[in-house]
Amino acid sequence: NVDYCYNISSKNPKNNCYLAVAVAIGDLNLCETTLYSDFRDDCYSDMANAKQDSTICEQIDIESIKENCYSAASQTTEECDKIKKDEHTRFLCYVSIASKNKDAELCEELESEQRDFCYMELSQVLGDRDLCKKVSNRFRHECEIGPLY
């Protein structure tokens, strides 16, 4: 209940309370109006992740939080492509989408080593060692001997 948060006097616990309530009840307005600005981006990010709605990420001001938000909440590679500054975060977003959709073809959209690691991850997620054949010689052995979950 948001009324409980009003009675908290310390800034951080109060903000954490608002953030938890906002996500729990799915009320984006609590992010927009109630939280101090330094917690607002975290609230948007948590809300986007909880709802799996990357459009919420667009409201985030701090670029690194925005890109991590896209990585966590994206449902398509097009949404991953909104990650411009951090190539590693973009790569993790692609791998996440490929894993969620069990779609190894998405790995083809990545560059060399990233493609290899995407196939390696998918071989584990899908329990399919045949995907290791798509990994370059440099990493193929590691893929083939890696543990299957």
Side-chain angles (χ1 to χ4, degrees), residues 9-27:
S9 58
S10 297
K11 180 181 176 182
N12 286 348
K14 184 176 203 133
N15 281 315
N16 286 330
C17 181
Y18 284 133
L19 193 148
V21 171
V23 172
I25 64 174
D27 186 353

Side-chain angles (χ1 to χ4, degrees), residues 22 27-35 40 43-44 59:
D27 186 353
L28 196 57
N29 289 325
L30 286 176
C31 295
E32 295 167 359
T33 59
T34 311
L35 295 174
R40 195 169 294 136
C43 185
Y44 287 139
Q59 299 178 57

Side-chain angles (χ1 to χ4, degrees), residues 95 98-99 102-104 107 115-135 139-149:
V95 173
S99 294
K102 297 182 174 160
D103 183 0
C107 297
R115 184 178 325 115
D116 287 341
F117 288 113
C118 182
Y119 281 127
M120 290 169 73
E121 176 70 18
L122 266 283
S123 76
Q124 297 298 314
V125 170
L126 301 176
D128 183 359
R129 291 256 194 245
D130 285 341
L131 289 174
C132 294
K133 293 175 185 172
K134 295 185 176 206
V135 174
F139 299 107
R140 186 171 299 144
H141 181 69
E142 184 180 338
C143 182
E144 292 171 341
I145 65 167
L148 288 173
Y149 302 127

Side-chain angles (χ1 to χ4, degrees), residues 14-73:
K14 184 176 203 133
N15 281 315
N16 286 330
C17 181
Y18 284 133
L19 193 148
V21 171
V23 172
I25 64 174
D27 186 353
L28 196 57
N29 289 325
L30 286 176
C31 295
E32 295 167 359
T33 59
T34 311
L35 295 174
Y36 294 102
S37 61
D38 55 338
F39 277 75
R40 195 169 294 136
D41 285 348
D42 288 334
C43 185
Y44 287 139
S45 183
D46 288 354
M47 188 73 74
N49 193 19
K51 293 184 174 213
Q52 289 294 284
D53 180 358
S54 68
T55 62
I56 297 169
C57 303
E58 295 165 12
Q59 299 178 57
I60 296 173
D61 293 326
I62 299 171
E63 197 66 31
S64 61
I65 295 174
K66 182 183 282 189
E67 293 200 344
N68 285 328
C69 179
Y70 281 126
S71 183

Side-chain angles (χ1 to χ4, degrees), residues 2 61 76 85 88 104 116 129:
V2 75
D61 293 326
T76 67
K85 294 191 180 209
H88 185 69
D116 287 341
R129 291 256 194 245

